[in-house]
Amino acid sequence: MNFTEYEGKRVVVTGVSSGIGEATARALIDLGAEVHGVSRRKPEGLDLAGFDSVDLGDPEAIRAAYGNRDEHVDALFNCAGLAPMFPPMDVLKVNFLGTRLLTELVATNMTDGGAVVSTSSDGGAAWRKRVPLLTEFLNVESFEDGAAWYEQNEEVAGHAYAFGKEALDLWTMQQSAALIQRGIRINATTPGSVRTPMLDVIEKTYPKELSAATEQPIGRASTAEEQVPPLLFLNSSEASYINGADLVVDGGYGALLSSAGHLFNA
């Protein structure tokens, strides 16, 4: 599987300034794709076809960048994210509300054969246990009202990082039934511990034992580059019958917890 089909395809990648987003954009450029990047700062050394400096925590910036575009998009890779230690509202806005808004706008320029994949996290894997609460949140359609909902319900919703990733997972499942009516597939991946600048910040903030635990049973963190092939696969025609899936790419950490009854079971 060499993904040569991406040659000449117009794709949008968020979070291109570092980590998984940068690695994904670089791989797509090498494959000959027309890559349009989205992040707060422009990365160096990437031959992007286009770049928009957008803070996904700012709905007006998202609308200004993508609200009136009519260029066809073949695939969207949502790789942007904030680490857990940032202010909770900022985390929720970037990791879910901004990602949802951008996806909705980009998807208007997709046609049959289009695909979306979002990078979630093991931190959101318990979404199956919280469907009623998450559904209430997801039924709040606008960015601004969603932020207000979380502000009012933060105590029951819990940590913004986990809650935002849970929301992203369930929203992906819900959207898979709607977007496929237009021939557009949407999926997610669930990385575990990934050696990126975000992990470096996490390890400086929290005890290293916490991140080390998420590296089990494989015994190490993933590289950003190891997360790229699953993303490329899900947005390719090789995955033409995969829709509404959450592909776990965590070296077995989720399986370890699930088999012990601690995670994915409802």
Side-chain angles (χ1 to χ4, degrees), residues 5-6 75-77 115-117 185 230-237 239:
E5 69 179 73
Y6 281 108
L76 169 63
F77 296 81
V116 178
V117 65
R185 297 179 302 104
L231 296 171
L232 297 179
F233 167 67
L234 287 173
N235 270 359
S236 76
S237 62

Side-chain angles (χ1 to χ4, degrees), residues 75-95:
L76 169 63
F77 296 81
N78 287 316
C79 302
L82 276 186
M85 71 286 302
F86 284 89
M89 187 59 72
D90 292 346
V91 171
L92 183 72
K93 286 178 177 180
V94 171
N95 291 1

Side-chain angles (χ1 to χ4, degrees), residues 162-174:
F163 186 73
K165 293 298 186 178
E166 290 166 356
L168 181 62
D169 286 337
L170 181 56
W171 178 75
T172 297
M173 307 302 113
Q174 293 177 346

Side-chain angles (χ1 to χ4, degrees), residues 152-190:
Q152 295 166 7
N153 295 276
E154 182 175 358
E155 184 173 349
V156 65
H159 197 288
Y161 186 83
F163 186 73
K165 293 298 186 178
E166 290 166 356
L168 181 62
D169 286 337
L170 181 56
W171 178 75
T172 297
M173 307 302 113
Q174 293 177 346
Q175 287 301 299
S176 66
L179 288 176
I180 201 62
Q181 303 306 312
R182 295 169 45 208
I184 302 168
R185 297 179 302 104
I186 183 169
N187 295 288
T189 64
T190 288

Side-chain angles (χ1 to χ4, degrees), residues 12 29 32 45 80 107 123 132 157 164 189 195 199 206 208 215 217 225 237 263:
V12 176
I29 291 169
T189 64
R195 182 56 59 189
L199 182 59
Y206 300 112
K208 195 173 187 307
E215 297 173 5
E225 288 73 20
S237 62
L263 197 53

Side-chain angles (χ1 to χ4, degrees), residues 243-261:
N243 182 43
D246 177 12
L247 179 57
V248 180
V249 194
D250 67 356
Y253 175 66
L256 188 67
L257 293 187
S258 183
S259 63

